[in-house]
Amino acid sequence: MKVLYFAWLKAKTGVAEEDLDPPAEVATVADLMEWLKDRGPGHADALANTQAIRVAVNQEYAAPGDAVKAGDEIAFFPPVTGG
Amino acid sequence: MKVLYFAWLKAKTGVAEEDLDPPAEVATVADLMEWLKDRGPGHADALANTQAIRVAVNQEYAAPGDAVKAGDEIAFFPPVTGG
Amino acid sequence: MIRVQRSDFDPGAEISALTQGRHDVGALTVFVGLVRDMAGEQRISSMELEHYPGMTEKMLERIEAEARERWALNDTLIVHRYGPLAPGERIVLVACTSTHRAASFEACEFLIDWLKTKAPFWKKEHGPDGDAHWVEARGSDDAAAARWNRKPGDAAE
Amino acid sequence: MIRVQRSDFDPGAEISALTQGRHDVGALTVFVGLVRDMAGEQRISSMELEHYPGMTEKMLERIEAEARERWALNDTLIVHRYGPLAPGERIVLVACTSTHRAASFEACEFLIDWLKTKAPFWKKEHGPDGDAHWVEARGSDDAAAARWNRKPGDAAE
């Protein structure tokens, strides 16, 4: 599973991208966010306010209950501000 | 008084512009239109359908009841179609 | 600024002039109207655009002033051609710059809507067989322009 | 067409490419977004625009396809930059051509409204003292985008 962080989530976690292999019980976006928080204080800080975070699974916007599985590309980022 | 005709009003009257000196009883736009119709069949045809004609007095849109006087520039034209 | 001219204009150059060297423009909206080779079912081989010199400039200036009163704009530009025009040629350009996009879009649409119903231009279309007719004003243009009429008592925007 | 690029673009050239040699385009609406040197009360000395390569293109293509389904358009174009940007620089261009102006205006506004809330770009503003912050999403942008949401049962336009 490839996990990407953008904008201030990248700054807080200190990584742009990581290849991870979470345990089988990590089945949804919400599960993954909880599991990632244990990777360190930077991750915990970045993922603390779930309201402020948008998620994409395989480059499609996803909700907390959506499934994640091995091989997926999961991205965490703030609400977008382009244009 | 300078009278101008544009678009199909110019084609029907056969003139773009004429300097005229109508009698004193021609006091309004409506009076002027009636008076102009007597200038010939072209003028009568051009000015027959008052609904289809817009008028400007001194380059400002005007209504049938608006005053006209010596020295004014009066223009007759169809509804505009620029842009 | 407004310009009424026989010659073509360069949209890129007009846009550049509005934004070049400025750091206070966040949004630019531009509209360009062009001659099509069809009007409804009718084939158009050329067009003649007549105007009322003097009154045209006066009306365009007034429309522009109205836009600048209604919206917070950095700049506005109207360029309108007259004379003979072939299909594919540019007729009119309207551009507005503002700090924010909503104002630039609204003002640009307002300018072209009012111009179409108030500026004294008349189009004559020539068909491929030499037939020609004066274009009739469209009710949809009146309706578009009327969207911007203020009701009595409207607060300034 | 959509393009995501680090380099600047030439609005005049982009407009030309959409209209050159065509006789079926009656209306072109273009929006250009630029970097301002102020954000509210805050002075901006530069900006960094981050994006999500891959997803950005996918979202822009989807937004473009949605516009072309909703309106009768000749063509659409979105060009969006990323990377470092100084005040006065262009960020984004959105352009739509159509036979009629209402479609070109509406589609152009739709494209920029949806792009602003759906395309994965993030702006970081740098102040004159070296301070920097990520720009926060604005409720007014969400509201602008929501105007275009279809209610269930809406007929195709």
Side-chain angles (χ1 to χ4, degrees):
Chain A
M1 184 183 291
K2 188 158 80 168
V3 179
L4 310 178
Y5 306 94
F6 292 97
W8 55 257
L9 281 106
K10 178 167 67 179
K12 287 188 173 180
T13 60
V15 289
E17 182 176 332
E18 46 193 356
D19 277 301
L20 298 172
D21 196 5
E25 64 263 30
V26 172
T28 66
V29 166
D31 295 342
L32 179 63
M33 288 175 84
E34 281 310 306
W35 183 76
L36 286 168
K37 285 183 189 170
D38 290 334
R39 289 184 60 77
H43 282 67
D45 182 26
L47 297 165
N49 181 6
T50 52
Q51 293 295 315
I53 300 170
R54 299 293 174 268
V55 187
V57 175
N58 298 323
Q59 305 189 355
E60 296 285 348
Y61 283 103
D66 288 352
V68 296
K69 59 180 192 308
D72 281 350
E73 176 178 302
I74 324 285
F76 296 100
F77 48 78
V80 303
T81 57
Chain B
M1 183 182 294
K2 188 157 82 168
V3 179
L4 310 177
Y5 306 93
F6 292 97
W8 54 257
L9 280 106
K10 178 167 67 179
K12 287 188 174 180
T13 60
V15 289
E17 182 177 331
E18 46 193 355
D19 277 301
L20 299 172
D21 195 6
E25 64 263 32
V26 172
T28 66
V29 166
D31 294 343
L32 180 62
M33 287 174 83
E34 281 310 307
W35 184 76
L36 286 168
K37 284 182 190 170
D38 290 335
R39 289 185 60 76
H43 282 68
D45 183 25
L47 297 166
N49 181 6
T50 53
Q51 292 297 314
I53 299 172
R54 299 292 173 271
V55 187
V57 176
N58 298 324
Q59 305 189 354
E60 296 284 348
Y61 283 104
D66 288 351
V68 296
K69 60 181 191 307
D72 281 351
E73 175 179 303
I74 323 285
F76 296 98
F77 47 79
V80 302
T81 56
Chain C
M1 196 175 53
I2 69 117
R3 284 192 349 250
V4 181
Q5 61 188 46
R6 180 177 284 269
S7 56
D8 192 17
F9 52 84
D10 175 352
E14 304 295 351
I15 291 174
S16 276
L18 288 174
T19 58
Q20 200 69 46
R22 296 192 70 147
H23 293 173
D24 57 346
V25 172
L28 162 75
T29 304
V30 183
F31 175 80
V32 178
L34 303 106
V35 182
R36 288 192 298 134
D37 60 5
M38 295 293 282
E41 300 293 292
Q42 208 152 11
R43 200 137 198 104
I44 304 303
S45 53
S46 71
M47 176 183 282
E48 175 79 26
L49 199 45
E50 187 173 330
H51 78 301
Y52 180 175
M55 182 170 173
T56 303
E57 287 81 356
K58 193 171 176 176
M59 289 295 135
L60 294 182
E61 275 163 10
R62 191 170 304 167
I63 292 164
E64 187 181 46
E66 180 74 25
R68 302 193 69 146
E69 193 201 298
R70 293 191 186 199
W71 289 276
L73 303 171
N74 297 108
D75 237 321
T76 52
L77 172 66
I78 303 174
V79 184
H80 204 302
R81 295 177 66 188
Y82 61 88
L85 292 165
E89 282 199 76
R90 287 174 277 268
I91 305 169
V92 61
L93 177 144
V94 170
C96 296
T97 51
S98 179
T99 47
H100 298 297
R101 77 184 186 287
S104 76
F105 266 109
E106 283 179 30
C108 190
E109 222 174 338
F110 165 84
L111 287 174
I112 187 71
D113 283 349
W114 271 32
L115 180 161
K116 277 195 169 259
T117 55
K118 295 179 199 296
F121 288 98
W122 304 274
K123 287 179 183 141
K124 189 178 194 177
E125 292 174 341
H126 298 262
D129 306 322
D131 50 316
H133 67 275
W134 291 97
V135 172
E136 287 200 36
R138 298 195 310 178
S140 60
D141 286 332
D142 292 333
R147 291 185 294 166
W148 306 103
N149 287 344
R150 286 173 156 172
K151 293 174 289 294
D154 268 9
E157 274 163 87
Chain D
M1 194 176 51
I2 67 117
R3 281 188 354 246
V4 181
Q5 61 188 46
R6 180 177 285 268
S7 56
D8 192 17
F9 52 84
D10 175 351
E14 305 295 350
I15 291 174
S16 276
L18 288 173
T19 56
Q20 200 68 48
R22 295 191 70 145
H23 293 173
D24 57 347
V25 171
L28 163 74
T29 303
V30 183
F31 174 81
V32 178
L34 302 105
V35 182
R36 287 192 299 135
D37 59 5
M38 294 295 283
E41 299 295 291
Q42 209 153 13
R43 199 135 199 104
I44 304 302
S45 53
S46 72
M47 178 184 279
E48 174 79 27
L49 200 45
E50 188 174 329
H51 78 300
Y52 181 175
M55 184 170 170
T56 303
E57 288 81 356
K58 193 171 174 175
M59 288 297 134
L60 293 182
E61 275 163 8
R62 191 170 304 164
I63 292 164
E64 187 181 47
E66 181 73 25
R68 302 192 68 145
E69 193 200 300
R70 291 191 186 199
W71 289 277
L73 302 171
N74 297 110
D75 236 321
T76 53
L77 173 66
I78 303 173
V79 184
H80 204 302
R81 294 176 67 188
Y82 61 89
L85 293 165
E89 283 200 77
R90 287 175 276 268
I91 304 169
V92 61
L93 177 145
V94 171
C96 297
T97 50
S98 178
T99 45
H100 297 298
R101 78 184 185 286
S104 77
F105 267 109
E106 284 180 28
C108 190
E109 221 173 340
F110 165 84
L111 286 175
I112 188 69
D113 283 347
W114 270 34
L115 181 161
K116 278 197 168 258
T117 54
K118 295 177 198 296
F121 288 98
W122 303 276
K123 286 178 183 143
K124 190 179 194 175
E125 293 173 342
H126 298 263
D129 307 322
D131 51 313
H133 67 275
W134 291 97
V135 173
E136 286 200 37
R138 299 195 312 179
S140 60
D141 285 333
D142 292 334
R147 291 185 294 166
W148 306 104
N149 287 343
R150 285 174 156 171
K151 293 175 290 297
D154 268 8
E157 275 162 84

